[in-house]
Amino acid sequence: MSLIKEKFLKLGAEFAPGQEVRQDTSEIKLRGEKIPGTPVDFSHGDVDAFEPIPGSLDRFIDGVHVGGKQAYTEYRGSKLIRENVAEKLSKFTGTTINAERNFIITPGTQGALFLAMGSVISRGDKVAIVVPDYFANRKLVEFFDGEVIPIEMDYLTANTNAGLNLNQLESAFKAGVKLFLFSNPNNPTGVIYSPEEIGSIAELAQQYEATVIVDQLYSRQLFEGRTYTHLSAQNLMDPENVITIMGPSKTESLSGYRLGVAFGSSQIIERMEKLQAIVSLRAAGYSQAVLKSWFDEPAGWMEKRISDHQAIRDDLIAKFRGSEGFQVRVTEAGSYLFPKLPKLDVTIGEFVKILRVQANVTVTPGSEFGPQFTDSFRINFSQDHQAAVTAIERLIRIVEVYRK
Ligand SMILES: Cc1ncc(COP(=O)(O)O)c(C=O)c1O
């Protein structure tokens, strides 16, 4: 097979949100009846159930009224908006972010991830990523012709930290890894790295002169008042070796505006801007104006959003724990659960398809987050509360039918 064919084969997008309908189910032998119920797509959050920050559309319209200047911003984003957001993020993270040198606005957090990875990986580079972690991480390393070095995270057994295997990380650095990428809070498990883990990552990166990219998309949605440690605020490593990625797509439901940001190393931000100039030129100009509503939510809005999600999380966990054989760690931040299934007599890929066809429930197979997670699935529980609960009841009924 040609290299380019092989490369794109690995990028399989059939489990990506909104694409599940493309899955072929003709070869699966279904058992039992269809279970009726409101369709629920757990592969992403529901922005109808949890609406965007109030006033965000008005900010977008303001952007349109600004006109050409807003349509054609600098490649790294409008200066005024960079200044506005850099100030808010400096306060949030406890990091000094210079809007001119250390900051870029991108099309989604995904855009930031692509640009950051594209700016630091060249052919054959060894790149350490956590397993399990966000599906795109592994695909990006492979796409940029790097070599994936997996670092395990024992999330199910650990309970006072994320469970990252720091010995493996150190061995990876010793073996020549110069880039480590991870999400914190972790997608798919919803765990937060402890201050000690973040400190150790910083110290190891400093010792082995490695760059760290941290995806903090969910770092505002913390349950039970948990604390969060920002890698960028650690004085243990050279700030030129850290890039932080964030965005307002999830907790704030602004996904449809396709906005993200990256801040940190001026050298990497400069490369990211050059790459952006040949990928998309800039993040959508009018959308950039919406970033003004980020971190400027009405009083109490964020607290309510968090408590609503916590209530859904608790109900879903109670359902899983009430059914024999499921194992799940309580989400500490973000909207994901990553339950481990009881033994089934179908593969994870088949289970996901069966669930969609027989119960109108869409989940993401664990194998998207690391090839070994063939007994787990991920759900985004940012959904209508009642619909989510009844969908999980249907999922559990399907598990009963296909249990080994
Ligand atoms: C950890 C993580 N990073 C990046 C993204 C992409 O987000 P965005 O919609 O901001 O592009 C997601 C979306 O699920 C995510 O969970």
Side-chain angles (χ1 to χ4, degrees):
M1 195 189 303
S2 74
L3 282 178
I4 192 72
K5 267 193 181 162
E6 205 176 321
K7 199 165 177 164
F8 278 86
L9 203 62
K10 283 185 183 166
L11 279 185
E14 67 274 26
F15 290 111
Q19 313 249 97
E20 307 78 12
V21 282
R22 296 196 199 161
Q23 294 163 14
D24 180 13
T25 48
S26 56
E27 282 178 13
I28 299 175
K29 284 201 192 78
L30 300 175
R31 275 179 238 153
E33 298 292 305
K34 281 196 176 187
I35 312 173
T38 313
V40 175
D41 185 349
F42 285 111
S43 68
H44 59 88
D46 180 348
V47 297
D48 298 324
F50 286 100
E51 292 182 357
I53 302 170
S56 36
L57 177 61
D58 298 327
R59 301 288 81 73
F60 181 84
I61 294 168
D62 293 345
V64 175
H65 287 311
V66 170
K69 257 180 134 172
Q70 191 68 46
Y72 286 91
T73 68
E74 285 177 64
Y75 294 140
R76 63 176 64 195
S78 145
K79 184 172 185 302
L80 285 177
I81 292 163
R82 271 187 285 128
E83 283 168 355
N84 172 284
V85 183
E87 192 185 329
K88 295 184 289 194
L89 284 176
S90 296
K91 209 183 281 173
F92 174 66
T93 60
T95 316
T96 309
I97 306 167
N98 182 304
E100 206 48 57
R101 289 196 307 275
N102 308 114
F103 194 78
I104 185 168
I105 302 173
T106 57
T109 310
Q110 191 83 358
L113 207 50
F114 182 89
L115 299 178
M117 296 293 273
S119 299
V120 286
I121 303 175
S122 58
R123 182 172 303 135
D125 284 354
K126 293 187 165 105
V127 180
I129 60 168
V130 176
V131 280
D133 210 326
Y134 186 46
F135 82 93
N137 296 5
R138 177 172 42 94
K139 292 186 181 184
L140 283 165
V141 177
E142 287 169 350
F143 188 75
F144 289 118
D145 294 326
E147 182 191 342
V148 170
I149 307 293
I151 310 296
E152 284 160 16
M153 189 178 70
D154 195 5
Y155 63 97
L156 271 178
T157 338
N159 50 30
T160 55
N161 59 19
L164 185 72
N165 190 327
L166 288 162
N167 291 332
Q168 271 185 7
L169 184 61
E170 176 152 25
S171 303
F173 285 142
K174 276 188 183 154
V177 163
K178 286 287 175 221
L179 174 65
F180 176 49
L181 164 68
F182 71 113
S183 61
N184 182 27
N186 174 269
N187 172 355
T189 63
V191 303
I192 304 176
Y193 287 76
S194 68
E196 292 75 24
E197 286 174 310
I198 295 297
S200 300
I201 290 169
E203 276 175 356
L204 288 172
Q206 179 67 12
Q207 186 182 345
Y208 293 96
E209 295 174 4
T211 297
V212 183
I213 298 174
V214 55
D215 177 346
Q216 301 195 169
L217 181 52
Y218 268 109
S219 54
R220 295 185 79 194
Q221 189 171 306
L222 312 178
F223 298 126
E224 286 108 8
R226 283 169 198 274
T227 51
Y228 181 92
T229 311
H230 292 274
L231 181 74
S232 60
Q234 301 283 300
N235 295 322
L236 300 166
M237 69 180 289
D238 181 349
E240 274 301 304
N241 287 335
V242 186
I243 285 286
T244 305
I245 284 168
M246 276 190 74
S249 287
K250 303 291 169 182
T251 310
E252 303 83 354
S253 301
L254 294 174
S255 180
Y257 292 101
R258 303 313 304 129
L259 286 165
V261 301
F263 59 88
S265 164
S266 56
Q267 193 192 9
I268 298 175
I269 295 286
E270 206 175 305
R271 289 189 201 155
M272 288 172 72
E273 183 181 47
K274 287 181 179 163
L275 193 49
Q276 177 137 286
I278 57 167
V279 175
S280 64
L281 296 174
R282 58 182 64 76
Y286 304 144
S287 285
Q288 290 181 36
V290 177
L291 283 173
K292 285 190 182 156
S293 53
W294 196 26
F295 285 90
D296 196 22
E297 299 84 11
W301 186 89
M302 185 57 79
E303 289 75 9
K304 174 152 177 21
R305 182 138 291 205
I306 292 172
S307 63
D308 286 350
H309 281 86
Q310 196 168 310
I312 301 171
R313 176 201 70 175
D314 291 346
D315 282 353
L316 301 193
I317 287 178
K319 291 280 168 205
F320 289 125
R321 292 198 167 155
S323 174
E324 208 190 315
F326 279 95
Q327 286 179 62
V328 63
R329 180 163 168 179
V330 176
T331 312
E332 296 167 353
S335 301
Y336 296 114
L337 278 170
F338 195 52
K340 193 169 169 178
L341 285 156
K343 288 246 174 301
L344 303 181
D345 58 12
V346 288
T347 67
I348 190 68
E350 288 166 340
F351 172 71
V352 167
K353 290 175 185 177
I354 289 166
L355 194 60
R356 189 170 56 76
V357 173
Q358 280 197 281
N360 243 325
V361 176
T362 303
V363 303
T364 308
S367 46
E368 284 289 290
F369 307 93
Q372 64 270 58
F373 299 100
T374 52
D375 51 4
S376 303
F377 62 94
R378 189 200 71 175
I379 58 171
N380 183 325
F381 59 79
S382 188
Q383 309 289 341
D384 175 83
H385 193 145
Q386 197 46 39
V389 171
T390 52
I392 293 306
E393 287 168 354
R394 298 203 296 282
L395 179 148
I396 291 169
R397 282 175 61 192
I398 294 288
V399 165
E400 291 313 322
V401 175
Y402 292 90
R403 219 183 244 281
K404 217 172 207 167

